[in-house]
């Protein structure tokens, strides 16, 4: 009997703990959402990721990571490295890894000093066809 | 007989056989079991022993020459899928199927962070291909010269056992030919026409796919697999298929 | 030519009933074949629910279902013919006939399931592959049909010694074919839940179970059709079959238990496959139909009623045959349901598979063939099936 009672007590405590953890998780997700709402496009640049499909599908750039999180100013990129218009860079013939390795475009920071080097962590920038489809959807996938 | 006498006796198990004799004995066993499991599709005596530490066959023990294989430099894959496009075009792969594709997995970097890894996959042209073993009409076999697993569509009855047997999901039923279709390292579309590499390897802008003859020590595939400090792995080694598509990270 | 060929037509009284049922069976075959033609025209790819990752579905299960019933009937018939003392001899001739019919049902389903059946006859002869279980299975089952037809001819012409020899040969061919069928699955190391030494022997066990159930069911239905009381000898035969059902439901349950114990001490893929049956998408199929209706309840019914009632035995047999149907389906699907790439992005925990209308139609064709075969047997061969007439063993004994 006593053992049984103890069992029940333990079960109750487990249940309680589960509730607590559940609450914590819920709270955490709630907090994240609040942060998203806080994101100010005027201060940090466009919220939507910029996606390039040329020369290869697909590379993603997020203002949020660079401005809000890494604390970069607008003029560290605009308008020396990039125009303030999505899709301009990908029209250039030299928008390639070669240029990045030579310090052009993203490579001016992603050189291993300011930020991680362009010849590492390929999939940090490259989301590929799969990532593209996930972000944009199948229909809008441009066919070459 | 006393214990002492017993100990004096020479053991009759195979450990006491001279090594050559032991090897022939083992080969006999392998040949017998091979008859059932893999039959004539492989000559087990030359299939190459795969030791525990290495999935690459010992050099000098490749069953074929050229022994075609592919090395994937996995971390470089960016899923641009130019390989898929090139394959589709070169080999007339219908939109409902694929001969090669890219898988995606995630590795946790702690906390919420993760890194994406793209994994290119295709037929592994196994040394012990389960698909070849199971086909009731020998519609698929290992090409005697190159070791490429080829298909003869006109023999395929469409029982799909090869599809079930393949550990790599490399086969699909192609309605256009009413037969199972699969990667053949572009044997008919390129290699036989004098090209030295597959369409997918040629199309890859990141130099992920390296195709070549593993039996040639000067080939790039051989060099990549045999350079010091390189970890080489294959997909689903537990199935015993002895694949010929290798993955490295350097 | 010694003896008379005893093909007779059914007694007038039962003709209308059989007649109507035969038309029904023919209709089932017709719509099944229509379904198959439709599937060929629009492509199996569209007509069936199978995919690249799950190339096999219900139809493979149904093929195995009929083939396994056939093996059971054939093996039990051979035992009865050889060792008449086991009391099943009075129904042994019907078992041989039904075994042939079940196999024809199996061939119908597999013939309509594969994509290019017309490439098969020449293909397996001109380009045989001795390492292929499918090849052996097809060859041996094909041989078995031939041998059993010969055997049946010998029974009809009362050459019983030869018939017994052919019966034994057929049983050997059937058993080997059956365990090759098991090995079709069991030798695929890419599917860990199938892989291993258990399946071939599990299939043989299931064969004995299904065969015993089938002979009880069909014999009972035959007597219902004829509106006759079951005679003493036949009843004793059915009781023997009943005992076999009790024994085999128990043994198959034990084997099933170990299969899961083994899976749960195996790799993640094995555990997931086992879960798909015990608590996943196949759990109703498994607990209610395969285990409950197919093994536990019939076993209980038979034990509790102590094999006294033909009706109970026949009901238990029906339940077993329903359970076996689900067992085959569950086996095929659970082996493929876990994606080999589980863990990769976008790969589900389980593939989903639910059979299409076309698949159900083909299954109906299979049942139509078996049903038609049964009825045709009652029509033309009723006398051969009747007890005390022509059982090889008694006739040999009394020579």
């Amino acid at each position: 009997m006593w053992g049984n009672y103890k069992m029940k007590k333990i079960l109750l405590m487990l249940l309680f703990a589960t509730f607590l953890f559940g609450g914590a998780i819920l709270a955490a997700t709630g907090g994240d959402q609040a942060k998203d709402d806080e994101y100010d496009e005027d201060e940090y640049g466009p919220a939507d990721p910029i996606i390039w499909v040329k020369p290869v599908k697909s590379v993603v750039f997020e203002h949020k990571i660079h401005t809000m999180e890494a604390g970069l100013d607008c003029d560290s990129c605009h308008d020396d490295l990039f125009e303030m218009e999505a899709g301009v860079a990908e029209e250039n013939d030299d928008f390639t890894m070669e240029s990045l390795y030579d310090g052009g475009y993203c490579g001016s920071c992603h050189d291993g000093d300011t930020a991680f080097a362009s010849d590492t962590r390929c999939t940090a920038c490259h989301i590929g066809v799969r990532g593209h489809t996930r972000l944009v959807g199948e229909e809008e996938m441009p066919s070459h | 007989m006393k214990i002492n006498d017993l100990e004096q006796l020479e053991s009759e198990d195979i450990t006491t056989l001279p090594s050559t004799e032991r090897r022939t004995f083992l080969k006999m066993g392998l040949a017998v079991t091979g008859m059932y499991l893999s039959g004539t599709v492989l000559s087990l005596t030359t299939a190459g022993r795969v030791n525990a530490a290495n999935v690459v066959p010992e050099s000098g023990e490749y069953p074929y020459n050229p022994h075609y294989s592919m090395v994937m430099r996995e971390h470089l894959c960016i899923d641009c899928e130019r390989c898929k496009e090139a394959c589709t075009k070169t080999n007339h792969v219908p939109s409902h199927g694929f001969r090669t594709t890219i898988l995606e997995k995630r590795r946790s970097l702690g906390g919420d962070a993760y890194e994406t890894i793209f994994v290119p996959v295709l037929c592994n042209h196994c040394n012990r291909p389960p698909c070849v073993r199971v086909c009731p009409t020998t519609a698929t076999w290992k090409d005697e010269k190159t070791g490429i697993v080829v298909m003869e569509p006109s023999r395929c009855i469409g029982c799909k056992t090869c599809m079930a047997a393949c550990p790599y999901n490399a086969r699909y039923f192609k309605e256009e030919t009413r037969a199972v279709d699969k990667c053949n390292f572009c044997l008919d579309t390129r290699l036989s026409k004098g090209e030295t590499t597959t369409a997918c390897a040629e199309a890859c802008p990141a130099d992920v796919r390296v195709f070549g003859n593993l039996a040639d020590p000067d080939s790039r595939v051989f060099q990549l697999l045999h350079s010091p400090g390189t970890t080489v792995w294959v997909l689903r080694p537990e199935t015993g298929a002895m694949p010929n598509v290798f993955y490295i990270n350097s | 030519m010694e003896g008379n060929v005893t093909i007779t037509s059914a007694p007038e009284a039962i003709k209308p009933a059989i007649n109507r049922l035969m038309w029904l069976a023919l209709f089932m075959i017709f719509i099944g074949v229509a379904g198959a033609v439709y599937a060929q025209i629009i492509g199996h790819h569209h007509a069936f629910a199978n995919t690249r990752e799950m190339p096999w579905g219900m139809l493979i299960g149904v093929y195995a279902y009929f083939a396994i019933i056939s093996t059971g009937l054939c093996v039990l018939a051979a035992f009865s013919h050889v060792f008449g003392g086991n009391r099943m001899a009075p129904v042994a001739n019907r078992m041989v006939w039904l075994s042939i019919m079940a196999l024809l049902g199996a061939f119908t389903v597999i013939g309509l399931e594969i994509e290019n059946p017309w490439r098969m006859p020449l293909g397996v002869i001109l380009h045989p592959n001795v390492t292929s279980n499918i090849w052996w299975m097809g060859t041996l089952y094909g041989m078995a049909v031939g041998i059993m037809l010969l055997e049946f001819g010998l029974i009809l012409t009362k050459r019983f010694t030869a018939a017994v020899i052919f019966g034994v040969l057929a049983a050997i061919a059937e058993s080997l074919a059956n365990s090759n069928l098991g090995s079709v699955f069991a030798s695929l190391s890419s599917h860990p839940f199938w892989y291993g030494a258990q399946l071939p022997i599990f299939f043989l066990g299931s064969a004995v179970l299904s065969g015993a159930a089938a002979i009880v069911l069909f014999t009972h239905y035959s007597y219902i059709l004829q509106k006759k009381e079951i005679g003493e000898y036949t009843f004793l035969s059915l009781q023997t079959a009943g005992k076999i059902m009790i024994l085999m439901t128990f043994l198959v349950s034990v084997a099933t238990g170990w299969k899961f114990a083994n899976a749960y001490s195996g790799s993640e893929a094995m555990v997931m496959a086992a879960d798909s049956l015990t608590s996943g998408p196949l759990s109703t199929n498994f607990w209610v139909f395969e285990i409950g209706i197919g093994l536990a309840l019939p076993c209980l019914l038979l034990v509790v009623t102590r094999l006294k009632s033909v009706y109970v035995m026949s009901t238990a047999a029906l339940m077993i045959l329903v359970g076996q149907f689900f067992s085959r389906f569950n086996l095929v699907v659970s082996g493929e349901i876990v994606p080999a790439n589980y863990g990769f992005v976008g790969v589900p925990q389980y593939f989903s598979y639910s059979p299409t209308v076309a698949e159900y139609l083909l299954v109906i064709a299979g049942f139509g063939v078996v049903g038609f075969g049964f009825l045709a047997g009652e029509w033309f061969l009723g006398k051969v099936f009747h007890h005390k007439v022509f059982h090889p063993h008694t006739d040999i004994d009394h020579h």
Side-chain angles (χ1 to χ4, degrees):
Chain A
M1 276 317 277
W2 186 84
N4 210 343
Y5 171 74
K6 206 171 163 188
M7 270 291 265
K8 271 187 190 157
K9 214 168 149 188
I10 293 172
L11 274 176
L12 262 177
M13 272 166 65
L14 273 177
L15 208 69
F16 189 52
T18 319
F19 263 110
L20 280 182
F21 276 112
I25 291 166
L26 286 176
T29 47
D32 257 0
Q33 259 158 16
K35 246 199 210 159
D36 260 6
D37 293 339
E38 267 168 35
Y39 185 79
D40 182 358
E41 294 207 334
D42 294 334
E43 199 182 339
Y44 298 124
D48 287 341
I50 288 163
I51 301 170
W52 295 288
V53 295
K54 280 190 285 188
V56 291
K57 291 174 234 172
S58 293
V59 174
V60 71
F61 173 84
E62 290 189 53
H63 275 92
K64 188 179 157 194
I65 293 175
H66 290 88
T67 51
M68 195 172 108
E69 287 169 24
L72 296 170
D73 294 333
C74 307
D75 33 307
S76 42
C77 294
H78 297 299
D79 289 325
D80 287 348
L81 291 171
F82 295 101
E83 300 288 330
M84 262 210 204
E85 194 187 338
V88 172
E90 71 178 348
E91 296 305 327
N92 300 343
D93 286 343
D94 67 344
F95 196 36
T96 61
M97 292 312 291
E98 208 54 51
S99 308
L100 265 64
Y101 297 150
D102 291 343
Y105 301 107
C106 326
S108 76
C109 301
H110 286 281
D111 54 2
D113 287 335
T114 319
F116 69 90
S118 296
D119 61 354
T120 61
R121 298 184 54 198
C122 316
T123 57
C125 305
H126 287 274
I127 56 170
V129 174
R130 299 179 58 98
H132 188 123
T133 319
R134 237 187 337 262
L135 280 183
V136 182
E138 196 100 46
E139 311 75 45
E140 292 170 59
M141 186 78 217
S143 54
H144 42 109
Chain B
M1 203 186 288
K2 294 208 178 87
I3 295 274
N4 287 350
D5 300 337
L6 254 178
E7 279 172 356
Q8 299 295 305
L9 270 179
E10 231 186 280
S11 157
E12 281 178 25
D13 76 16
I14 54 167
T15 52
T16 55
L17 290 176
S19 110
T20 43
E21 227 175 280
R22 191 165 14 153
R23 220 176 290 156
T24 18
F25 174 78
L26 283 175
K27 275 182 191 165
M28 255 164 58
L30 287 175
V32 171
T33 47
M35 213 19 226
Y36 173 72
L37 285 169
S38 330
T40 52
V41 300
L42 63 124
S43 32
L44 265 159
T45 45
T46 52
R49 274 169 276 132
V50 178
N51 61 46
N54 201 348
V55 291
V56 185
E58 292 288 313
S59 55
E61 295 195 9
Y62 304 108
Y64 306 95
N65 193 2
H67 183 107
Y68 283 127
S69 61
M70 192 175 280
V71 176
M72 300 288 188
R73 301 163 74 213
E74 188 185 75
H75 62 304
L76 296 179
C77 179
I78 52 174
D79 183 38
C80 65
E81 303 199 356
R82 284 194 190 166
C83 49
K84 270 183 89 164
E85 287 165 21
C87 173
T88 305
K89 233 195 214 149
T90 309
N91 300 303
H92 314 290
V93 180
S95 60
H96 66 79
F98 59 82
R99 285 182 174 197
T100 182
T101 193
I102 312 286
L103 304 175
E104 179 183 4
K105 65 182 174 192
R106 285 181 185 160
R107 194 173 75 95
S108 167
L109 301 176
D112 286 349
Y114 64 83
E115 102 180 308
T116 297
I117 301 163
F118 293 115
V119 185
V121 292
L122 74 170
C123 171
N124 279 255
H125 299 279
C126 309
N127 284 359
R128 299 176 64 211
C131 54
V132 170
R133 177 183 69 78
V134 300
C135 179
T137 53
T138 354
T140 189
W141 64 89
K142 257 180 111 57
D143 180 55
E144 268 175 34
K145 189 153 171 282
T146 60
I148 292 175
V149 176
V150 291
M151 263 305 291
E152 171 48 57
S154 68
R155 283 193 203 170
C156 176
I157 64 169
C159 68
K160 301 181 182 169
T161 314
C162 57
M163 290 165 61
C166 176
Y168 304 103
N169 190 21
R171 293 172 165 264
Y172 70 100
F173 191 81
K174 182 174 178 178
E175 283 161 63
E176 289 76 0
T177 53
R178 302 199 63 89
V180 168
D181 187 50
K182 66 177 290 298
C183 158
N184 60 0
F185 276 159
C186 296
L187 181 61
D188 56 336
T189 46
R190 291 172 59 95
L191 298 185
S192 63
K193 295 177 180 160
E195 302 275 359
T196 54
T197 186
T198 63
C200 57
E202 189 183 69
C204 180
D207 199 19
V208 174
R209 296 175 184 242
V210 182
F211 174 80
N213 175 10
L214 192 55
D216 172 10
D218 294 328
S219 70
R220 202 165 153 229
V221 282
F222 184 96
Q223 306 266 321
L224 283 170
L225 295 183
H226 294 86
S227 62
T230 307
T231 305
V232 183
W233 70 95
V234 295
L235 303 179
R236 302 198 71 189
E238 79 282 1
T239 63
M242 298 173 70
N244 279 307
V245 174
F246 303 96
Y247 293 77
I248 59 173
N249 239 356
S250 48
Chain C
M1 274 299 257
E2 39 163 345
N4 310 314
V5 178
T6 46
I7 292 181
T8 51
S9 146
E12 289 304 322
I14 65 165
K15 267 184 174 174
I18 295 192
N19 216 334
R20 245 175 288 135
L21 287 171
M22 269 180 155
W23 280 111
L24 176 69
L26 278 179
F27 179 68
M28 286 166 72
I29 298 173
F30 174 76
I31 60 170
V33 171
V37 170
Y38 157 81
Q40 276 292 358
I41 290 170
I42 72 157
H44 286 187
H45 186 67
H46 304 286
F48 298 162
N50 299 112
T51 58
R52 174 180 186 134
E53 288 79 15
M54 290 189 83
W56 289 341
M58 175 164 73
L59 294 175
I60 299 295
V62 174
Y63 161 71
Y65 174 66
F66 286 133
I68 283 175
I69 293 177
S70 168
T71 301
L73 286 164
C74 175
V75 170
L76 289 176
F79 266 85
S80 311
H81 278 155
V82 176
F83 311 108
N86 76 357
R87 294 195 163 167
M88 267 172 88
V91 293
N93 290 348
R94 179 179 275 119
M95 286 200 266
V96 175
W97 176 255
L98 288 175
S99 176
I100 299 172
M101 291 308 132
L103 207 44
L104 292 185
F107 286 165
T108 306
V109 174
I110 198 75
L112 300 178
E113 195 271 349
I114 65 173
E115 301 265 358
N116 311 310
W118 56 88
R119 287 181 188 162
M120 189 169 61
L122 271 188
V124 294
I125 293 167
L126 294 182
H127 313 287
N129 182 0
V130 293
T131 65
S132 161
N133 294 113
I134 296 264
W135 187 86
W136 280 105
M137 175 190 73
T139 306
L140 288 163
Y141 268 136
M143 277 167 57
V145 168
I147 298 173
M148 281 192 290
L149 283 172
L150 277 175
E151 177 193 3
F152 210 80
L154 291 167
I155 292 175
L156 289 181
T157 53
K158 300 179 193 160
R159 277 173 281 201
F160 298 124
T161 316
V164 169
I165 294 170
F166 275 77
V168 172
L169 287 178
I172 293 171
E174 280 257 5
S175 311
L176 293 179
N178 184 286
S179 48
N180 262 290
L181 171 56
S183 186
V184 165
F185 301 97
S187 67
L188 302 187
S189 56
S190 53
H191 294 268
F193 198 54
W194 285 337
Y195 187 72
Q198 195 209 27
L199 260 192
I201 197 73
F202 183 81
F203 273 18
L204 282 174
S206 301
V208 176
L209 174 62
S210 316
I215 194 57
V216 170
L217 191 78
F218 281 116
T219 305
H220 184 217
Y221 287 2
S222 157
Y223 279 82
I224 292 179
L225 274 179
Q226 299 174 41
K227 302 202 176 73
K228 273 206 293 199
E229 284 292 306
I230 290 182
E232 193 196 336
Y233 289 105
T234 306
F235 183 71
L236 288 177
S237 307
L238 297 189
Q239 271 194 330
T240 306
K243 287 177 200 163
I244 296 177
M245 286 197 281
I246 295 177
L247 176 65
M248 292 316 294
T249 44
F250 176 68
L251 292 186
V252 169
S253 302
V254 171
T256 307
W258 283 116
K259 186 172 167 61
F260 281 88
N262 189 58
Y264 280 119
S265 43
S267 65
E268 190 193 14
M270 297 269 270
V271 173
M272 282 171 69
D275 277 347
S276 76
L277 290 163
T278 56
S279 56
L282 295 168
S283 57
T284 314
N285 274 359
F286 179 69
W287 289 115
V288 178
F289 291 98
E290 180 173 344
I291 301 296
I293 293 177
L295 295 171
L297 282 179
C299 182
L300 202 74
L301 266 181
L302 292 171
V303 171
V304 169
T305 60
R306 307 194 60 82
L307 307 172
K308 292 259 161 55
S309 153
V310 178
Y311 283 93
V312 171
M313 285 198 284
S314 160
T315 309
L318 181 63
M319 290 166 80
I320 287 171
L321 288 174
V322 169
Q324 288 291 295
F325 184 93
F326 278 88
S327 175
R328 299 298 95 80
F329 179 92
N330 292 346
L331 172 97
V332 171
V333 177
S334 64
E336 305 168 309
I337 200 170
V338 180
N341 298 327
Y342 175 62
F344 282 78
V345 177
V347 178
Q349 183 185 17
Y350 293 122
F351 292 124
S352 64
Y353 168 78
S354 43
T356 58
V357 176
E359 287 172 77
Y360 281 108
L361 290 180
L362 262 67
V363 173
I364 291 175
F367 279 103
V369 168
V370 178
F372 187 83
F374 163 68
L375 294 165
E378 297 305 316
W379 184 283
F380 295 112
L381 304 164
K383 258 190 168 172
V384 189
F385 297 154
H386 202 277
H387 76 84
K388 284 200 287 196
V389 193
F390 320 127
H391 326 296
H393 82 95
T394 33
D395 286 85
I396 291 167
D397 291 349
H398 296 280
H399 271 180

